[in-house]
Amino acid sequence: MKSLEEKLGYTFQDRGLLDNALTHSSCANESRGKLQSNERLEFLGDSILGMVVADHLYRNHPDLPEGELTRTRAALVCEESLVEVAQELGLGEYLRLGRGEESGGGRRRPSIQADAVEAVLAAVYLDGGIGSARKIIQKYILSREVAGLTKPRDYKTALQELVQRESGQVLQYRLTGQEGPDHDKRFFVEVDLNGAPLGAGTGRSKKEAEQMAAHAAIQALKKE
């Protein structure tokens, strides 16, 4: 855990908060009540992240209209962005997973990694206050704005333009499932090209899942 604290640039006074943030529900369930999952921390972390990012954008971009602020915030806090943060931190190797989730590749599962980032941010907030959480968000998330990574990734438009190079091509997005409580829904979408599956994606909204499905489809077409 010390190596993770060094990456975060923050040392916990209560190490139990960090342990909790890294405990997936599969591990908590197997402990038969001895451990608490990181779901509550993830709920709190989602709000903290959204507030800090919104506050930053509002203060630093007085010229941007509400729509642009919303799209920029969404690009910074989406699952794909949080997974990139998790990978920078090497968060997967620190996760506490149940045996089934471990054998099923849970350490690399995007939704688990993204949730863990939010849970860690909440743990830092509870342990050291909003200033400490803000520093980490600035370092790992808001820095992407400076790098020009806040522009919404419109993979659906890119896919449409790609397939329209040939006439008669028909794209269709299908919601194939959803899971999780209301405050933490996961949507699963598949995109078909002329009736054949081309890509699948997940997201915290149907729109985000469609974007991820389009991204997967673009990658598939590039390999052909």
Side-chain angles (χ1 to χ4, degrees):
M1 294 298 182
K2 185 173 179 58
S3 59
L4 178 56
E5 289 179 323
E6 290 176 352
K7 294 175 185 177
L8 290 170
Y10 180 79
T11 300
F12 280 83
Q13 300 177 60
D14 180 0
R15 183 66 69 79
L17 283 168
L18 180 57
D19 290 338
N20 186 193
L22 298 171
T23 302
H24 186 253
S25 57
S26 61
C27 179
N29 292 338
E30 288 184 5
S31 75
R32 298 181 180 180
K34 294 180 181 178
L35 297 174
Q36 183 179 16
S37 81
N38 63 1
E39 290 177 342
R40 281 171 52 83
L41 283 175
E42 178 228 325
F43 166 76
L44 178 60
D46 177 64
S47 295
I48 293 167
L49 175 60
M51 184 276 290
V52 170
V53 171
D55 178 74
H56 170 86
L57 294 175
Y58 180 85
R59 293 177 187 276
N60 290 277
H61 298 282
D63 56 321
L64 286 185
E66 184 270 342
E68 283 298 317
L69 291 171
T70 298
R71 283 190 286 274
T72 302
R73 179 182 60 184
L76 287 167
V77 304
C78 72
E79 182 173 282
E80 185 179 5
S81 176
L82 295 182
V83 168
E84 291 174 359
V85 174
Q87 291 172 347
E88 283 187 58
L89 292 169
L91 209 54
E93 65 183 270
Y94 301 101
L95 293 173
R96 303 163 77 182
L97 304 174
R99 289 186 293 275
E101 196 63 63
E102 179 77 64
S103 62
R107 292 187 187 280
R108 298 183 301 277
R109 199 181 304 279
S111 61
I112 292 178
Q113 292 192 349
D115 289 348
V117 170
E118 292 179 335
V120 168
L121 290 174
V124 171
Y125 164 75
L126 292 173
D127 192 71
I130 190 64
S132 297
R134 190 186 298 272
K135 287 180 181 178
I136 295 172
I137 293 170
Q138 179 68 55
K139 179 179 179 180
Y140 285 101
I141 296 172
L142 292 177
S143 61
R144 297 166 180 272
E145 180 196 10
V146 177
L149 298 177
T150 59
K151 294 181 180 178
R153 302 166 186 183
D154 191 356
Y155 294 121
K156 289 183 67 177
T157 298
L159 177 61
Q160 188 72 34
E161 292 174 350
L162 188 61
V163 300
Q164 283 182 342
R165 293 175 182 175
E166 295 183 25
S167 60
Q169 304 296 298
V170 179
L171 285 173
Q172 182 178 17
Y173 292 86
R174 296 186 295 108
L175 180 67
T176 58
Q178 56 183 291
E179 64 179 29
D182 289 341
H183 74 272
D184 188 27
K185 282 284 188 185
R186 284 295 188 283
F187 295 88
F188 301 85
V189 167
E190 186 176 87
V191 58
D192 298 340
L193 177 60
N194 300 327
L198 184 60
T202 64
R204 298 186 180 190
S205 67
K206 292 178 184 178
K207 289 184 178 179
E208 184 178 331
E210 288 177 353
Q211 287 286 346
M212 294 303 98
H215 183 225
I218 291 171
Q219 297 304 312
L221 288 174
K222 286 181 177 179
K223 291 179 181 179
E224 293 181 356

